[in-house]
Amino acid sequence: MKLVLVAAIVLAGAVAGGLAIADRSVRLTSGGSGLAGRLQVAKPIPPAPAALQSRLETLAAAYGEEVGIAVTDVATGWTAGVDADRPYPQQSVSKLWVAIAVMRAVDEGRIDPDGVVTLGEADRSVFFQPVAYRIGAGGYQTTVSDLLRRALVESDNAANDRLMRELGGPDGVALALQEMGLTGVKVGAFERDLQALTAGLVWQPDYGIGWNFEAAREALPRATRQAALDAYLAAPLDGAAPGEITAALAALSRGELLSAASTARVLDWMTQARTGPRRLKGGLPAGWSIAHKTGTGQDFAGASVGINDVGLLTAPDGRIYAVAVMMRRTWKPVPERLAFMQSVTRAVAEDWDRTAGIQTAD
């Protein structure tokens, strides 16, 4: 059993732009799997509020599809949830773990955040990758920090894949996460390889140009695509349980993963996220803020895969909740998906109202 003393813990003010410092002792044990099973705060963790747990169960049952929910109080450690311990496909949520792994290397002096990186034709990825459009005959020069911003704020796939290469690829990212105790969250593969495998393809360079990937995908037999998708959903390479994600987010918020400066930078990028403005963020009342990362998978046979949003919600009094809402595969129309995610954030805010003794305004 190893005792790790954490002297500087980043609390709610990090999301709002300031840092609040506190002392906390954290004990890592050998039991359980991932951070959620191995991280124990010295003081006993209270049970999750019964009213919130009941509300989440009601919301999940009413939605009528396979969903995973976890809500963790960052300060006290309790977690409420539904199907919170089973891995779900993360899709672009996994970009957050890549960014954290890179910032850990920055803290250790192994990567220069202002170091120049040149992207070439081999760095093209799939789907949304605006940085790839800047690659010309001589490549495109940028910095590690710019790639981090693009990956977290814009969810740029090419930026994320290049950051993974800076760490030695998927295996290098996995090792970095393991060293931080984040064994319950996976990245699994480069974005372009993950999307190709999910569709029933094997990545090849010309897929990164124009609509070549989509054309190759459409040319596949329906049975091939279905078999590939079923295999991915059964054992997602990028899988993570909602409870493991909120445990990792809580550790990030408390300053247990990165230096105070690196923690603040990651949270700032998450606060600027342009994706999913009507997911978790859409249900927040006035006075609340969010730092988050979304994930959106491919559509097939009338359904969407890996529709997710995870983040840190900060209440008006500075209390922080780590939240993950994940959909394995949903046939619901987009407005219903958004309404469900928003209902979870409203449930968290209503629970805060109860515990803070504040009457909800009409």
Side-chain angles (χ1 to χ4, degrees):
M1 190 175 289
K2 181 171 69 171
L3 185 65
V4 179
L5 296 178
V6 179
I9 307 302
V10 179
L11 293 177
V15 176
L19 293 177
I21 305 299
D23 288 332
R24 177 180 293 250
S25 292
V26 176
R27 187 173 299 276
L28 295 178
T29 74
S30 58
S33 65
L35 194 66
R38 302 195 307 117
L39 195 62
Q40 296 180 341
V41 178
K43 123 173 148 175
I45 297 175
L52 177 60
Q53 178 63 41
S54 176
R55 180 62 177 151
L56 296 180
E57 291 172 358
T58 299
L59 291 172
Y63 192 70
E65 291 183 342
E66 197 173 1
V67 295
I69 308 171
V71 178
T72 297
D73 185 304
V74 170
T76 65
W78 59 252
T79 297
V82 176
D83 201 21
D85 299 323
R86 196 158 57 103
Y88 277 71
Q90 294 184 89
Q91 292 294 312
S92 287
V93 167
S94 65
K95 290 183 173 73
L96 175 56
W97 318 126
V98 174
I100 289 172
V102 171
M103 292 306 292
R104 181 62 172 255
V106 168
D107 286 342
E108 295 172 347
R110 294 186 289 112
I111 288 181
D112 178 2
D114 298 317
V116 175
V117 176
T118 301
L119 279 71
E121 290 296 327
D123 291 305
R124 295 186 186 277
S125 187
V126 68
F127 301 141
F128 190 73
Q129 49 171 336
V131 74
Y133 305 148
R134 295 174 176 267
I135 298 172
Y140 173 67
Q141 285 193 336
T142 186
T143 64
V144 171
S145 289
D146 179 60
L147 293 177
L148 285 162
R149 181 194 62 79
R150 289 176 180 277
L152 290 183
V153 177
E154 302 174 7
S155 206
D156 188 308
N157 290 328
N160 183 73
D161 283 359
R162 182 51 190 264
L163 288 170
M164 291 179 69
R165 289 187 186 89
E166 294 297 306
L167 291 170
D171 290 342
V173 175
L175 178 59
L177 296 177
Q178 181 180 7
E179 290 173 347
M180 285 185 281
L182 300 181
T183 56
V185 296
K186 293 181 182 178
V187 173
F190 290 113
E191 189 72 37
R192 65 191 193 184
D193 290 330
L194 177 72
Q195 298 305 331
L197 289 170
T198 302
L201 296 166
V202 175
W203 178 261
Q204 53 190 53
D206 68 305
Y207 287 167
I209 302 172
W211 293 92
N212 289 347
F213 179 87
E214 288 82 355
R217 184 179 62 180
E218 290 303 313
L220 289 173
R222 184 183 179 92
T224 299
R225 290 199 62 189
Q226 187 66 64
L229 180 59
D230 289 345
Y232 168 65
L233 292 175
L237 284 173
D238 60 343
E244 292 287 357
I245 289 175
T246 58
L249 286 168
L252 173 67
S253 178
R254 291 192 297 259
E256 296 165 2
L257 303 180
L258 302 171
S259 69
S262 292
T263 299
R265 290 194 77 181
V266 171
L267 292 176
D268 183 54
W269 283 318
M270 292 171 67
T271 302
Q272 296 178 50
R274 298 175 187 170
T275 59
R278 295 167 59 205
R279 293 188 185 182
L280 292 179
K281 187 175 183 178
L284 287 177
W288 286 69
S289 62
I290 184 171
H292 68 131
K293 184 69 194 79
T294 59
T296 304
Q298 298 180 50
D299 296 336
F300 179 66
S304 299
V305 170
I307 304 300
N308 312 314
D309 199 1
V310 312
L312 292 160
L313 313 183
T314 303
D317 66 351
R319 189 171 181 178
I320 306 176
Y321 300 87
V323 178
V325 179
M326 311 184 78
M327 300 176 179
R328 190 177 304 278
R329 177 164 48 182
T330 179
W331 285 262
K332 302 280 188 181
V334 171
E336 290 187 32
R337 304 173 194 178
L338 297 174
F340 175 71
M341 290 191 174
Q342 292 167 14
S343 71
V344 172
T345 45
R346 279 195 294 271
V348 174
E350 289 165 4
D351 184 75
W352 175 81
D353 282 342
R354 283 190 296 270
T355 58
I358 299 173
Q359 293 294 324
T360 303
D362 293 332

